[in-house]
Structure formats: C-alpha cells, structure tokens
Amino acid sequence: MEVELKETKRIVVIDLLYMGDLLFATSFFRNLRKKYPKAKIDLIVNANFYDIIANNPHFDEVYAYDKNWTIPESISFAWELRQNDYDLGLNIHGNWRTAILLKIINPDYSVGYGTKGRGIWLDRVLTPSQNKHMVEVYLDFLRELDFNKIDEQGLELEVDSKAQEDMEDFLASQGIKEGDSLVGLNTGGSWPTKQWTQEGFAQLADKLQQDYDSRVIFFGGPGDVKRVEKITAQMETEPIIAAGKTSLKELVALANCCDLFISGDTGPVHVAAAVGTQTIAIFGPSNEVKYRPYGTQHKVVKTDLACRSCGEHHCPKEHHNCMRKITVEEILDRVEEEI
C-alpha cells in the first residue's frame, strides 16, 4: 500500500453526510493536502451543502451529488468522474451509496470505512475509532494510512466576504450597533428528538434580552420558519428573525457576527464553532463525545438519563425527557460563563 500512496497524483474523497459531519472532516481535508501538496484532490459532497465547502482551498474540484437523483443519473455522474483516472479513492462516509459510487468511479486503489459488508469493493477496509470525537475519527483514518505529521488545529471554514457585508447590513437594519452583544439561537434539528422545547427557547430568548443586555437572532432554514413563529409568539420581547432568510454562505457569515450561539446538535452550531464563535450545544439523543462542537471553548448541556444517548430519531420511551428535562436555568448557567 505504501507504494500506491507515495505515487498518488490524483485523489478523490467521498463524503455525503450532513453539514456537521462535513465540517468535522475539514481537519482531515487540510492534512490530506499537506501530505500531497501537488496532487489533484477532488471531493464529492452532498449537494445540499455544496456552497459551504465549494471554496475550500484544499480541493481542486468539489462535485455536488444530489441524493434525489435517479439510479441512471447517479451512474452517469459517477461514470463522468471515472474519466479523471484517480489513483486513490477515500471513502470517509462508508454507506452503500458511497460504496457503489466509488466502485463505478474506479480509482486504482481505494480505502475507506466499510462496516456491514460495505467494504466489499475496497482495497483496504478501515473500522472507525470508537469513543472519540468525529474529528479524531477522521484523523485516525489518516494515521492508518501512515500519515505521521498530523496537525490538530481544528476545523476551518471560510467566511464569504460578500455574504459578510450583506449580513452586517442586515443587522444594521435591525438596529444592531458595533459593540452590541448578539446571541444566535437555532431551534431546529435533523431529528425531532434533537429539538429542545419551543417554550424553553421562548423563555431563554426573553431572559437573554431582558437580563443579559443581549439581542437575540433566530437562525434556521425554510423548514424552521413555522417553529420560530410559534416560539416568537410566546415571547414578551422582540427578537431578530433570520430563519428562512439566509443562504448557506449567509448562515456562515451571520454566525460569524454572533458573540454566542445556542443550539441543539445540528449543522448550524458546528458552523458557528468552525468560524470561532463560542457555542452552547443542547444534547439529547446524540452522543456528545462524538458530536459536540469541536474545541475546549464550547459548552454542552445535557441530562444524565440512563436512556441517552439512544441515537433514535423518535423517542423509544415516548417521553423525550432527555430534552424536556433541560431547563432554561441550566442553559443560562452556561451563558454566564460565556458572556
């Protein structure tokens, strides 16, 4: 294998996971480029998150794969990339879809995760490290390939200058002045079980604006708009609403404008952490050891229930106490450490 790696000139990496997982892999991407500064390195990414990684300086090309494509469309996509004649393929996702795509692309040598038989077409199958943060899991992937000089400088995410200007203008239009304390709240979550209570967010936002001399801005995509409307209808104070109003690049820029970002375990909280904003993450069913915002400056709020971290999209016990039992006061205790 060492011969194949030393002679590598064209590399393809495939990762179709969620936004947070993609950001966790940015340290992997940086170290891969350091090892192969002159190689052509391409990335295949979930089309939903293309804009957040398209300008990553460590790739020559970033290809957007749409998970809604038909089988013929997917095959056509992979067959086109096959023409790039990759020497090395790295599958850091490891599900059947990525295994089949990489097989069609057909690099000379392929390495990746392949549990449950999904490594059938790989030349070398790796098993993800256990009980480690996903950033470290990805770096262990490289260590398995004899990468001896690994930097652990954390995540990286470029802030688009135009988006930054636009978001600063947006905040100015909302009365935000230089020096104002701005706290971002993200209420959504890819699973229903990752969402903290609407009543909790309403009370938290009021407390932040009434008692902590901060302005609150609600983040979210189009699917979060109705939830945010229900939350703000319960509030006594008036927050800033950005839910449903920002592109991915603007989300990054707006998170960069915040002094603090509070959210469940979902993509935007990892965006905020990646641009250097301090975060407080509310954890329910997911494992904070693996998925907490990366870095020692970030805080986690969780319960000590025996049934967490179940990793389920819907509460198996039908009480959702891992989130419902988290109080506004517990989160404000963490806020006092940050503000």
Side-chain angles (χ1 to χ4, degrees):
M1 183 191 70
E2 185 65 21
V3 174
E4 286 89 347
L5 292 180
K6 284 182 178 178
E7 295 179 353
T8 292
K9 296 180 180 178
R10 295 177 302 279
I11 303 170
V12 61
V13 182
I14 185 165
D15 179 6
L16 303 182
L17 282 163
Y18 293 112
M19 186 191 303
D21 300 278
L22 184 61
L23 293 174
F24 290 154
T26 55
S27 184
F28 173 100
F29 301 151
R30 181 179 62 249
N31 279 281
L32 181 65
R33 173 54 75 186
K34 284 185 176 181
K35 179 77 169 182
Y36 298 105
K38 296 182 180 180
K40 173 180 170 59
I41 306 179
D42 297 341
L43 173 69
I44 304 170
V45 65
N46 186 327
N48 291 336
F49 311 121
Y50 172 83
D51 284 347
I52 213 166
I53 202 74
N55 294 324
N56 186 289
H58 307 307
F59 294 108
D60 293 278
E61 297 285 346
V62 178
Y63 295 98
Y65 174 82
D66 190 333
K67 288 187 174 183
N68 292 320
W69 280 341
T70 63
I71 291 176
E73 287 173 325
S74 296
I75 293 173
S76 176
F77 169 84
W79 190 261
E80 183 176 346
L81 266 63
R82 185 186 181 110
Q83 311 314 306
N84 291 337
D85 294 324
Y86 294 109
D87 303 312
L88 177 64
L90 303 177
N91 188 348
I92 64 172
H93 186 158
N95 71 353
W96 278 113
R97 188 196 304 262
T98 57
I100 294 169
L101 285 173
L102 193 60
K103 171 61 178 176
I104 298 171
I105 293 168
N106 195 36
D108 294 340
Y109 194 89
S110 58
V111 183
Y113 297 134
T115 55
K116 300 181 181 178
R118 291 172 289 206
I120 185 172
W121 298 302
L122 295 171
D123 293 292
R124 183 173 179 187
V125 180
L126 303 181
T127 301
S129 303
Q130 299 299 309
N131 301 316
K132 289 187 176 183
H133 194 281
M134 286 305 301
V135 172
E136 294 301 323
V137 172
Y138 291 136
L139 292 181
D140 282 349
F141 185 115
L142 296 179
R143 293 185 180 102
E144 287 287 321
L145 301 185
D146 300 322
F147 281 47
N148 297 318
K149 297 180 180 180
I150 299 286
D151 81 58
E152 299 188 20
Q153 297 173 11
L155 312 185
E156 57 181 67
L157 181 59
E158 179 180 332
V159 180
D160 181 82
S161 58
K162 176 63 165 58
Q164 185 72 32
E165 291 177 8
D166 290 344
M167 291 300 96
E168 288 173 358
D169 289 343
F170 168 72
L171 291 174
S173 74
Q174 302 296 310
I176 297 296
K177 304 180 297 295
E178 185 176 352
D180 286 350
S181 173
L182 187 64
V183 179
L185 297 184
N186 184 73
T187 69
S190 52
W191 312 342
T193 45
K194 286 187 177 184
Q195 298 171 12
W196 191 42
T197 65
Q198 295 178 15
E199 297 82 2
F201 271 116
Q203 293 171 25
L204 175 64
D206 276 334
K207 285 285 188 181
L208 288 168
Q209 297 199 129
Q210 292 168 338
D211 301 340
Y212 290 83
D213 195 26
S214 295
R215 290 294 304 280
V216 164
I217 179 167
F218 280 93
F219 284 66
D224 300 313
V225 171
K226 289 185 178 180
R227 182 186 311 105
V228 170
E229 288 175 347
K230 291 178 181 178
I231 291 169
T232 55
Q234 300 176 57
M235 292 178 59
E236 299 175 358
T237 61
E238 184 176 349
I240 300 170
I241 307 297
K245 300 178 181 179
T246 58
S247 66
L248 276 181
K249 289 182 178 180
E250 290 169 342
L251 163 66
V252 174
L254 197 54
N256 188 50
C257 293
C258 292
D259 298 286
L260 177 65
F261 197 94
I262 304 174
S263 170
D265 170 33
T266 190
V269 76
H270 302 298
V271 167
V275 297
T277 298
Q278 291 190 321
T279 70
I280 298 173
I282 308 167
F283 269 76
S286 48
N287 185 337
E288 71 279 4
V289 173
K290 295 178 66 175
Y291 300 115
R292 65 181 292 154
Y294 192 68
T296 57
Q297 71 272 36
H298 305 293
K299 308 296 183 182
V300 166
V301 180
K302 61 182 179 66
T303 65
D304 293 323
L305 293 177
C307 57
R308 70 166 303 273
S309 312
C310 68
E312 297 292 338
H313 292 205
H314 298 278
C315 178
K317 296 183 179 294
E318 299 184 355
H319 55 54
H320 200 203
N321 282 342
C322 64
M323 280 299 206
R324 289 177 179 167
K325 293 291 186 180
I326 293 174
T327 67
V328 173
E329 288 70 29
E330 287 177 285
I331 296 173
L332 289 175
D333 285 344
R334 301 295 192 280
V335 169
E336 291 181 358
E337 298 171 6
E338 303 290 352
I339 292 182

